[in-house]
Amino acid sequence: MLKKTSHFLREANFIGGSWVEADSGAAIEVTNPATRQTIGTVPKCGRAETRRAIEAAQEAFQSWKKTSANDRAKLLRKLHDAIMDNQDALAELLVMEQGKPLFEAKGEVGMSAAYILWFAEEGRRVYGDVVPSPWADRRILVTKEPVGVIGAITPWNFPSSMLARKLGPALAAGCTAVAKPASQTPYSGLAWGVLAEEVGFPKGVINIVTGSASEIGDELTENPLVRKITFTGSTEIGKLLMQKAAGTVKKVSMELGGNAPFLVFDDADLDRAVEGAIIAKYRNSGQTCVCTNRFFVQDGIYDRFVEKLVEATKKLKVGSGLEDGVQQGPLIDDGAVEKVEELLADATEKGGKIATGGKRHDLGGTFFEPTVLTEASPRMRLMEEEIFGPVAPVFRFKEEAEGVAMANDTSFGLACYFYTSDLGRAFRVMEGLRYGLVGVNEGLITTVEAPFGGFKESGLGKEGGHQGIEDYLDTKYVCIGGLGL
């Protein structure tokens, strides 16, 4: 482990500017999914510690909200620089606890810094309005104010950038934060406490709490001092958090499950489509909410696409994320592998054919072979259930309308991708797909400059783009009368 990486591996929580243990002394063990070795422990905190973090954030909010947008931007730019100065160390830490290849981890840390820099500037562009008044002696103003303390709950698959997408706009808007990183990957979250301390954020502006998801989640959703919940994770948990947040009518933004379709039409550039398919399917071993879950390929090119996809899939190098040239690491835990095996068993029982892969990798542990499944059908569980693993099921369709209908046949609506060389078809399909993110002839489309968020049961609100700061602001109408005009 790099000396700099050890500096960021904190086995304590960051509350009110101090590094603290759990009240009970209880701890959660964190393991490296590639080696199964214990990395260390983090505090197993609950309601009491979370309440103190919320109170620290509320106290800090009283002064933080009064700082100028320019001063907040200066601090955020310093935070961006600190992230980039430590990119290698933070990426190594991320690989150790999450498993993804080092080049992907470096990209994620870079994206984290980019979100911070983007919102440093967006915070300076929170404009209000002067509305033409219907009364001669009154003036109407519309202003934007920070909502207050926010609770941020983030997942294990992107433990750095998911936090950046929440902390960036929150801090830029003038909010303070209590963040709960996933228990599988807490160190990348706690590293934000180290960075905040070194950069000079006031005590209590950023608080990081690890421990019981239910206890911490309950306190964040039920405590009236928290005015917004932002969550990235499963639709099931998102619905539960929304229900609990309703008790105090908090703002919520939810980035939930996905079931991304990837359509390949018979006029597509097949080589480009396969290149995009590899990125859209196997990035982070298929463990992303925007990963392709279902490939829909038009009849006329089905066999050629499958042949090329299998050939490219077989070339993927599997191994520990810290090894040179590795393109796919392990799955996060045994439960993830078992879910993939269940879905594959269901698919093969219903007529699916394994073209390559299909089983645990010879490396053992939670490594799984990159897999292509042909002759997929809507009867299979993976038509609706998120795979979250390196399995590419390929469905057939005949006509354009049929392909779009199959792609839309899900309760989710986060990301989708399609490949065509026909301009008219590009517009028809883009407008016909009910998804928040659409990639046309591209398999990797996320960027800080654009809004990220889904339709239907994939969530509420947007992260990134100029839209990303809106969920952290309240709009206030002010009518000024008695002007004697």
Side-chain angles (χ1 to χ4, degrees):
M1 188 191 302
L2 295 172
K3 185 177 179 183
K4 278 193 170 184
T5 303
S6 301
H7 170 66
F8 288 106
L9 199 156
R10 293 298 173 96
E11 297 185 297
N13 282 183
F14 191 59
I15 298 176
S18 299
W19 292 97
V20 299
E21 304 296 325
D23 290 354
S24 65
I28 297 170
E29 199 170 83
V30 183
T31 59
N32 182 326
T35 64
R36 300 294 187 101
Q37 293 178 344
T38 300
I39 304 170
T41 63
V42 293
K44 187 177 182 181
C45 292
R47 273 188 177 268
E49 298 91 339
T50 307
R51 191 176 304 119
R52 287 200 294 277
I54 292 167
E55 289 165 355
Q58 176 66 14
E59 183 178 348
F61 177 63
Q62 304 312 311
S63 54
W64 182 246
K65 68 180 178 182
K66 295 176 182 175
T67 58
S68 70
N70 194 46
D71 285 343
R72 295 196 295 268
K74 286 178 182 175
L75 262 181
L76 286 166
R77 285 197 294 270
K78 284 179 68 178
L79 179 58
H80 162 272
D81 293 347
I83 294 169
M84 292 309 295
D85 287 346
N86 294 283
Q87 185 177 20
D88 288 347
L90 292 167
E92 186 186 62
L93 181 65
L94 202 164
V95 174
M96 285 168 54
E97 61 179 350
Q98 202 279 332
K100 67 180 60 178
L102 184 60
F103 78 92
E104 285 191 25
K106 281 188 178 181
E108 179 179 342
V109 172
M111 180 73 86
S112 299
Y115 272 111
I116 296 300
L117 187 61
W118 173 261
F119 284 111
E121 297 307 311
E122 283 302 296
R124 301 171 65 212
R125 301 187 182 94
V126 176
Y127 302 131
D129 295 293
V130 177
V131 180
S133 174
W135 305 288
D137 63 343
R138 304 183 203 178
R139 294 294 178 265
I140 295 173
L141 307 180
V142 178
T143 62
K144 302 286 182 71
E145 298 180 355
V147 298
V149 177
I150 70 115
I153 303 173
T154 53
W156 51 261
N157 57 342
F158 289 90
S160 179
S161 62
M162 294 299 101
L163 202 44
R165 293 203 313 211
K166 301 174 190 310
L167 288 180
L171 299 174
C175 300
T176 54
V178 178
K180 186 225 170 283
S183 293
Q184 296 99 321
T185 55
Y187 295 123
S188 292
L190 290 165
W192 286 84
V194 179
L195 291 163
E197 193 173 35
E198 293 180 353
V199 165
F201 276 88
K203 293 179 179 180
V205 170
I206 298 173
N207 304 273
I208 315 289
V209 184
T210 60
S212 167
S214 58
E215 287 195 36
I216 295 171
D218 284 351
E219 186 63 33
L220 288 174
T221 51
E222 293 170 15
N223 193 309
L225 295 178
V226 177
R227 296 314 312 151
K228 174 185 167 60
I229 296 291
T230 172
F231 170 73
T232 299
S234 72
T235 296
E236 179 187 9
I237 299 299
K239 289 178 179 179
L240 194 60
L241 290 169
M242 288 172 70
Q243 289 172 355
K244 293 183 176 183
T248 47
V249 195
K250 302 184 195 306
K251 278 196 172 195
V252 294
S253 56
M254 298 277 154
E255 198 265 277
L256 307 177
N259 191 7
F262 188 112
L263 294 100
V264 186
F265 292 96
D266 53 14
D267 56 10
D269 178 332
L270 275 192
D271 290 331
R272 186 180 181 89
V274 169
E275 183 182 349
I278 293 294
I279 296 169
K281 174 67 254 183
Y282 296 114
R283 186 165 62 101
N284 199 18
S285 301
Q287 300 173 116
T288 93
C289 52
V290 295
C291 263
T292 299
N293 208 56
R294 301 164 298 153
F295 286 91
F296 298 104
V297 181
Q298 202 157 10
D299 235 0
I301 56 162
Y302 184 94
D303 292 338
R304 281 192 295 145
F305 176 82
V306 167
E307 182 182 342
K308 287 176 177 288
L309 180 63
V310 168
E311 184 183 345
T313 299
K314 284 179 175 178
K315 292 178 181 176
L316 291 171
K317 183 178 179 181
V318 180
S320 169
L322 294 174
E323 293 174 14
D324 289 341
V326 166
Q327 296 160 289
Q328 182 176 289
L331 297 187
I332 190 67
D333 56 29
D334 290 325
V337 179
E338 289 161 9
K339 173 74 181 294
V340 169
E341 288 177 327
E342 274 181 35
L343 291 174
L344 275 175
D346 171 78
T348 52
E349 283 172 17
K350 293 171 180 173
K353 309 294 182 187
I354 303 291
T356 186
K359 63 184 187 301
R360 295 186 187 226
H361 198 276
D362 290 342
L363 289 169
T366 58
F367 289 96
F368 201 89
E369 295 177 342
T371 300
V372 176
L373 177 88
T374 63
E375 305 306 331
S377 75
R379 296 183 301 117
M380 297 171 183
R381 283 174 53 190
L382 45 70
M383 177 68 177
E384 176 63 20
E385 294 183 39
E386 200 169 10
I387 300 168
F388 240 60
V391 176
V394 192
F395 299 73
R396 291 179 186 268
F397 71 91
K398 289 185 170 59
E399 303 298 329
E400 177 185 306
E402 179 192 5
V404 172
M406 291 174 74
N408 283 335
D409 188 17
T410 173
S411 59
F412 300 102
L414 185 55
C416 63
Y417 313 90
F418 69 92
Y419 280 70
T420 180
S421 297
D422 184 313
L423 184 60
R425 170 174 278 164
F427 275 87
R428 288 193 305 273
V429 175
M430 176 265 289
E431 292 173 3
L433 289 166
R434 292 292 299 151
Y435 290 84
L437 289 78
V438 183
V440 186
N441 296 327
E442 291 292 343
L444 181 61
I445 61 174
T446 306
T447 180
V448 301
E449 294 85 357
F452 185 104
F455 295 172
K456 300 188 284 186
E457 292 192 20
S458 285
L460 301 166
K462 300 296 179 186
E463 295 184 321
H466 70 82
Q467 298 89 345
I469 202 166
E470 289 296 325
D471 279 337
Y472 297 86
L473 297 165
D474 283 329
T475 299
K476 180 179 282 185
Y477 154 48
V478 181
C479 179
I480 305 172
L483 299 178
L485 300 172

